[in-house]
Coordinates of all heavy atoms in Angstrom, one line a residue:
G86 N 39.3 49.4 20.6 CA 37.8 49.4 20.5 C 37.3 50.9 20.4 O 36.5 51.2 19.6
G87 N 37.8 51.7 21.2 CA 37.4 53.2 21.2 C 37.9 53.8 20.0 O 37.0 54.6 19.4
V88 N 39.1 53.6 19.6 CA 39.6 54.3 18.3 C 38.8 53.8 17.1 O 38.4 54.6 16.3 CB 41.1 54.1 18.2 CG1 41.6 54.4 16.8 CG2 41.9 54.8 19.3
L89 N 38.5 52.5 17.0 CA 37.8 51.9 15.9 C 36.4 52.5 15.9 O 35.9 52.8 14.8 CB 37.9 50.5 15.9 CG 37.5 49.8 14.7 CD1 38.4 50.2 13.5 CD2 37.6 48.2 14.9
A90 N 35.8 52.6 17.0 CA 34.4 53.0 17.2 C 34.3 54.5 16.7 O 33.4 54.9 15.9 CB 33.8 52.9 18.5
L91 N 35.2 55.3 17.2 CA 35.2 56.8 16.7 C 35.5 56.8 15.3 O 34.9 57.7 14.6 CB 36.3 57.5 17.6 CG 35.8 57.9 19.0 CD1 37.0 58.6 19.7 CD2 34.6 58.8 19.0
F92 N 36.5 56.1 14.7 CA 36.8 56.2 13.4 C 35.6 55.8 12.5 O 35.3 56.4 11.5 CB 38.0 55.2 13.0 CG 38.3 55.2 11.6 CD1 39.1 56.2 11.0 CD2 37.9 54.1 10.7 CE1 39.3 56.2 9.6 CE2 38.2 54.1 9.4 CZ 38.9 55.2 8.8
W93 N 34.9 54.7 12.9 CA 33.7 54.3 12.2 C 32.7 55.3 12.2 O 32.0 55.6 11.1 CB 33.2 53.0 12.8 CG 32.4 52.2 11.8 CD1 31.1 52.3 11.5 CD2 32.8 51.1 11.0 NE1 30.7 51.4 10.6 CE2 31.7 50.6 10.3 CE3 34.0 50.4 10.9 CZ2 31.8 49.5 9.4 CZ3 34.1 49.3 10.0 CH2 33.0 48.9 9.3
A94 N 32.4 56.0 13.3 CA 31.4 57.0 13.4 C 31.8 58.2 12.6 O 30.9 58.8 12.0 CB 31.2 57.3 14.9
Q95 N 33.0 58.5 12.6 CA 33.5 59.7 11.9 C 33.3 59.5 10.4 O 32.8 60.4 9.7 CB 34.9 60.0 12.2 CG 35.5 61.2 11.5 CD 36.9 61.5 11.9 OE1 37.5 60.7 12.7 NE2 37.5 62.5 11.4
E96 N 33.7 58.4 9.9 CA 33.6 58.1 8.5 C 32.1 57.9 8.1 O 31.8 58.3 6.9 CB 34.4 56.8 8.1 CG 35.9 56.9 8.2 CD 36.4 57.9 7.2 OE1 36.0 57.9 6.0 OE2 37.3 58.8 7.6
T97 N 31.3 57.4 8.9 CA 29.9 57.3 8.5 C 29.2 58.7 8.5 O 28.5 59.0 7.6 CB 29.2 56.5 9.6 OG1 29.8 55.2 9.7 CG2 27.7 56.3 9.3
V98 N 29.6 59.6 9.4 CA 29.0 60.9 9.4 C 29.5 61.6 8.1 O 28.8 62.4 7.4 CB 29.4 61.7 10.7 CG1 29.1 63.2 10.5 CG2 28.6 61.1 11.8
E99 N 30.8 61.5 7.8 CA 31.4 62.1 6.6 C 30.6 61.6 5.3 O 30.3 62.4 4.4 CB 32.9 61.8 6.4 CG 33.7 62.6 7.4 CD 35.2 62.2 7.2 OE1 35.5 61.4 6.3 OE2 36.0 62.7 8.0
A100 N 30.3 60.3 5.3 CA 29.6 59.8 4.1 C 28.2 60.4 4.0 O 27.7 60.7 3.0 CB 29.5 58.2 4.2
L101 N 27.6 60.5 5.2 CA 26.2 61.1 5.2 C 26.2 62.6 4.8 O 25.4 63.1 4.1 CB 25.6 61.0 6.6 CG 25.2 59.6 7.0 CD1 24.8 59.6 8.5 CD2 24.0 59.1 6.2
L102 N 27.2 63.3 5.2 CA 27.4 64.7 4.7 C 27.6 64.8 3.2 O 27.2 65.9 2.6 CB 28.6 65.4 5.5 CG 28.3 65.6 7.0 CD1 29.5 66.2 7.6 CD2 27.2 66.5 7.2
L103 N 28.3 63.8 2.7 CA 28.5 63.9 1.2 C 27.4 63.3 0.4 O 27.4 63.3 -0.8 CB 29.8 63.1 0.9 CG 31.1 63.8 1.4 CD1 32.3 62.9 1.1 CD2 31.3 65.1 0.6
G104 N 26.3 62.9 1.1 CA 25.1 62.4 0.4 C 25.1 60.9 0.1 O 24.3 60.5 -0.7
A105 N 26.0 60.2 0.6 CA 26.0 58.7 0.4 C 25.2 58.0 1.5 O 25.8 57.2 2.2 CB 27.4 58.3 0.3
A106 N 23.9 58.2 1.6 CA 23.1 57.7 2.7 C 23.0 56.2 2.6 O 22.9 55.5 3.6 CB 21.8 58.3 2.7
L107 N 23.0 55.7 1.4 CA 22.8 54.2 1.2 C 24.1 53.4 1.7 O 23.9 52.3 2.2 CB 22.4 53.8 -0.2 CG 21.1 54.4 -0.7 CD1 20.9 54.0 -2.2 CD2 20.0 53.8 0.2
T108 N 25.2 53.9 1.4 CA 26.4 53.2 1.7 C 27.1 53.7 3.0 O 28.2 53.3 3.3 CB 27.4 53.3 0.5 OG1 27.7 54.7 0.4 CG2 26.8 52.7 -0.7
A109 N 26.5 54.6 3.7 CA 27.0 55.2 4.9 C 27.5 54.2 5.9 O 28.6 54.4 6.4 CB 26.1 56.2 5.5
P110 N 26.8 53.1 6.3 CA 27.3 52.2 7.3 C 28.6 51.5 6.9 O 29.4 51.1 7.7 CB 26.1 51.3 7.5 CG 24.9 52.0 7.1 CD 25.4 52.9 6.0
L111 N 28.8 51.3 5.6 CA 30.0 50.7 5.2 C 31.0 51.6 4.6 O 32.1 51.2 4.1 CB 29.6 49.7 4.0 CG 28.7 48.5 4.5 CD1 28.3 47.7 3.3 CD2 29.3 47.7 5.5
A112 N 30.8 52.9 4.8 CA 31.7 54.0 4.2 C 33.2 53.7 4.9 O 34.1 54.0 4.1 CB 31.2 55.3 4.5
P113 N 33.3 53.4 6.1 CA 34.7 53.3 6.6 C 35.6 52.3 5.9 O 36.8 52.3 5.9 CB 34.5 52.9 8.1 CG 33.1 53.4 8.4 CD 32.3 53.2 7.2
L114 N 34.9 51.3 5.3 CA 35.7 50.2 4.5 C 35.9 50.5 3.1 O 36.7 49.9 2.5 CB 35.0 48.8 4.7 CG 34.9 48.3 6.2 CD1 34.1 47.0 6.2 CD2 36.2 48.1 6.8
A115 N 35.2 51.5 2.6 CA 35.2 51.8 1.2 C 36.6 52.6 0.8 O 37.1 53.2 1.7 CB 34.1 52.6 0.7
A116 N 37.0 52.5 -0.4 CA 38.1 53.2 -1.0 C 39.4 53.0 -0.2 O 40.0 54.0 0.2 CB 37.7 54.7 -1.2
G117 N 39.7 51.8 0.3 CA 40.9 51.6 1.0 C 40.8 51.9 2.5 O 41.8 51.9 3.3
G118 N 39.6 52.0 3.0 CA 39.3 52.3 4.4 C 39.7 51.0 5.3 O 40.0 51.3 6.5
W119 N 39.8 49.9 4.7 CA 40.1 48.7 5.5 C 41.6 48.9 6.1 O 41.9 48.2 7.1 CB 40.1 47.4 4.7 CG 41.0 47.5 3.5 CD1 40.8 48.0 2.3 CD2 42.4 47.1 3.5 NE1 41.9 47.9 1.5 CE2 42.9 47.3 2.3 CE3 43.2 46.5 4.5 CZ2 44.2 47.0 2.0 CZ3 44.5 46.2 4.2 CH2 45.0 46.4 2.9
V120 N 42.4 49.7 5.5 CA 43.7 50.0 6.0 C 43.7 50.5 7.5 O 44.6 50.4 8.3 CB 44.4 51.0 5.1 CG1 45.8 51.4 5.7 CG2 44.6 50.4 3.8
A121 N 42.6 51.1 7.9 CA 42.4 51.7 9.2 C 42.4 50.5 10.3 O 42.8 50.8 11.4 CB 41.1 52.5 9.3
L122 N 42.0 49.4 10.0 CA 42.0 48.3 10.9 C 43.4 47.9 11.5 O 43.6 48.0 12.6 CB 41.3 47.0 10.4 CG 39.9 47.2 10.1 CD1 39.3 46.0 9.3 CD2 39.1 47.5 11.3
P123 N 44.4 47.7 10.6 CA 45.8 47.4 11.2 C 46.4 48.7 11.7 O 47.1 48.6 12.7 CB 46.6 46.9 9.9 CG 45.8 47.1 8.7 CD 44.3 47.3 9.2
L124 N 46.1 49.8 11.1 CA 46.6 51.1 11.7 C 46.0 51.2 13.2 O 46.8 51.8 14.0 CB 46.2 52.2 10.8 CG 47.0 52.3 9.5 CD1 46.4 53.5 8.7 CD2 48.4 52.6 9.7
T125 N 44.8 50.9 13.4 CA 44.2 51.0 14.7 C 44.8 50.1 15.6 O 45.2 50.5 16.8 CB 42.7 50.7 14.6 OG1 42.0 51.7 13.8 CG2 42.0 50.7 16.0
L126 N 45.2 48.9 15.2 CA 45.8 48.0 16.2 C 47.2 48.4 16.6 O 47.6 48.4 17.8 CB 45.8 46.6 15.5 CG 44.5 45.9 15.4 CD1 44.7 44.5 14.7 CD2 43.8 45.7 16.7
L127 N 47.9 49.0 15.6 CA 49.3 49.5 15.9 C 49.3 50.7 16.7 O 50.0 50.8 17.8 CB 50.0 49.7 14.5 CG 51.4 50.3 14.7 CD1 52.3 49.3 15.3 CD2 51.9 50.7 13.3
T128 N 48.4 51.6 16.4 CA 48.3 52.9 17.2 C 47.8 52.6 18.6 O 48.3 53.1 19.6 CB 47.3 53.8 16.5 OG1 47.8 54.1 15.2 CG2 47.3 55.1 17.2
A129 N 46.8 51.6 18.7 CA 46.3 51.3 20.0 C 47.4 50.6 20.9 O 47.4 50.8 22.1 CB 45.1 50.4 19.9
A130 N 48.2 49.8 20.3 CA 49.3 49.2 21.0 C 50.2 50.2 21.6 O 50.6 50.2 22.8 CB 50.1 48.2 20.2
L131 N 50.6 51.2 20.9 CA 51.5 52.3 21.3 C 50.8 53.1 22.4 O 51.4 53.5 23.5 CB 51.9 53.2 20.2 CG 52.8 52.6 19.1 CD1 53.0 53.5 17.9 CD2 54.0 52.1 19.7
L132 N 49.5 53.4 22.2 CA 48.8 54.2 23.3 C 48.6 53.3 24.6 O 48.6 53.9 25.7 CB 47.5 54.7 22.7 CG 47.7 55.7 21.5 CD1 46.3 56.0 20.9 CD2 48.4 56.9 21.9
A133 N 48.3 52.1 24.4 CA 48.1 51.3 25.6 C 49.5 51.1 26.4 O 49.5 51.1 27.6 CB 47.7 49.8 25.2
L134 N 50.6 51.1 25.7 CA 51.9 51.1 26.2 C 52.1 52.4 27.1 O 52.6 52.4 28.2 CB 53.0 50.9 25.2 CG 54.3 50.7 25.7 CD1 54.5 49.4 26.5 CD2 55.3 50.6 24.5
A135 N 51.6 53.5 26.5 CA 51.8 54.8 27.2 C 50.9 54.8 28.5 O 51.3 55.3 29.6 CB 51.4 55.9 26.3
L136 N 49.7 54.3 28.4 CA 48.8 54.2 29.5 C 49.3 53.3 30.7 O 49.3 53.7 31.9 CB 47.4 53.8 29.1 CG 46.5 54.7 28.4 CD1 45.1 54.1 28.0 CD2 46.1 55.9 29.4
T137 N 49.8 52.1 30.3 CA 50.3 51.2 31.3 C 51.6 51.7 31.8 O 51.9 51.5 33.0 CB 50.4 49.8 30.7 OG1 51.2 49.8 29.6 CG2 49.1 49.2 30.5

Side-chain angles (χ1 to χ4, degrees):
V88 168
L89 195 59
L91 283 176
F92 178 79
W93 202 279
Q95 180 180 1
E96 289 296 315
T97 302
V98 169
E99 285 177 6
L101 288 172
L102 289 175
L103 291 174
L107 295 177
T108 61
L111 298 177
L114 298 177
W119 62 270
V120 172
L122 296 174
L124 289 173
T125 296
L126 293 177
L127 179 65
T128 304
L131 294 173
L132 296 174
L134 189 63
L136 282 175
T137 54

